[in-house]
Amino acid sequence: MLAYTLSILAAVGAVALTALVFRRVKTAGEDRDPNGPSAAHAGAMLSAMFLLVFAIAIIVPWTTADAARLNTHAESQSAVDAYWAASALPGTAPEEVRAGLRDYMAFVVKDEWPLMADGKMHPVGAARMDELRGRVNGLEPRDAEEEDAKASVLEHLSGMSTARAQRTADAAASPPDGLLVLTVLTGVLVIVFPFLAGARPRGLAMLPLVATAALLGFGIYLTWDISRAFAGPLAVGPEAFQGTLQEFARIAGGM
């Protein structure tokens, strides 16, 4: 923050120094016209700065949500693979592991997903995942086939755990606070700049400014509304996990 403040002060100081130097140049004239080169240059730079910041504020959440959506499919696919591999486990382990997978996926959809909209994860979710992995790890295979099945299930459960850790990071991810503040600040400056430059629009001339302000306000609100991957218009839903539960039912019904 100190570095940002110093950079702003340095830029303001550079402008002040340049203005002082050129005021002493006899050939330099004053520029008080709202349509003059000073106002035109400053307006163009403000617009460019707003567009740059606004684009970043849109692209960052968009890419985060897209990556989070792909990650949910990876997590659900690992669960389906573990469900299939569990069929060759020893004793009653296939039914127990499959029941554990169904319970875990249903828990994520019903209990954990609503919390993720606020950037949180359910406190017992990781414990359930660890319990399921511990149950499989404690099995004692009787032959090479069961040993391979145990290793395969553990591998897929490890993939689920890794994807869950990424889902935790995606739920908590949001654009830097300074980025949203800068978006609001530059948006406000773009709106009020004509008045700061000396323009005094009246009547129908106010309509373009009002329309611009409305669109900028909507755009700025949108950057805040999509800041979370699991909330807002770009929210990642639990469709992948719901599809996994349906796949579990299909596999169980076909056996």
Side-chain angles (χ1 to χ4, degrees):
M1 181 60 70
L2 179 60
Y4 295 146
T5 303
L6 291 176
S7 64
I8 294 173
L9 292 177
V12 172
V15 173
L17 179 61
T18 303
L20 179 62
V21 170
F22 277 88
R23 283 179 69 90
R24 296 182 178 277
V25 178
K26 301 302 182 181
T27 57
E30 293 188 357
D31 183 16
R32 299 179 180 272
D33 186 359
N35 294 321
S38 298
H41 175 71
M45 291 303 297
L46 277 176
S47 298
M49 177 61 70
F50 171 76
L51 291 175
L52 174 62
V53 175
F54 180 72
I56 296 174
I58 291 290
I59 292 173
V60 169
W62 190 292
T63 54
T64 299
D66 190 47
R69 186 173 290 105
L70 292 176
N71 184 66
T72 61
H73 286 281
E75 186 174 357
S76 61
Q77 185 58 51
S78 293
V80 172
D81 292 339
Y83 198 88
W84 273 111
S87 62
L89 292 175
T92 61
E95 292 78 12
E96 295 174 357
V97 172
R98 286 182 165 183
L101 286 169
R102 288 194 299 270
D103 292 343
Y104 174 76
M105 299 303 283
F107 160 80
V108 170
V109 171
K110 295 179 181 178
D111 299 324
E112 191 165 56
W113 215 271
L115 298 178
M116 290 161 55
D118 296 324
K120 304 175 183 177
M121 300 288 283
H122 201 289
V124 303
R128 286 195 173 205
M129 188 76 254
D130 292 341
E131 179 185 358
L132 186 57
R133 295 177 69 180
R135 186 184 307 172
V136 176
N137 194 50
L139 296 176
E140 297 182 358
R142 294 166 298 187
D143 53 36
E145 181 180 1
E146 293 178 351
E147 183 69 37
D148 291 342
K150 175 182 175 180
S152 180
V153 172
L154 286 175
E155 179 183 356
H156 296 313
L157 291 179
S158 177
M160 287 179 61
S161 182
T162 300
R164 176 184 172 80
Q166 183 59 52
R167 181 160 52 88
T168 301
D170 292 336
S174 64
D177 294 336
L179 182 62
L180 296 179
V181 172
L182 192 57
T183 304
V184 174
L185 178 61
T186 54
V188 171
L189 287 176
V190 168
I191 294 171
V192 303
F193 179 77
F195 299 96
L196 296 177
R200 296 295 182 265
R202 296 289 187 273
L204 294 178
M206 286 291 295
L207 292 180
L209 290 177
V210 172
T212 300
L215 291 174
L216 288 178
F218 173 77
I220 292 171
Y221 171 77
L222 181 64
T223 61
W224 173 81
D225 199 26
I226 65 173
S227 59
R228 294 285 186 184
F230 296 95
L234 298 179
V236 179
E239 293 82 10
F241 292 81
Q242 293 168 344
T244 297
L245 290 172
Q246 295 174 359
E247 185 70 6
F248 286 170
R250 186 192 68 79
I251 295 172
M255 299 187 65

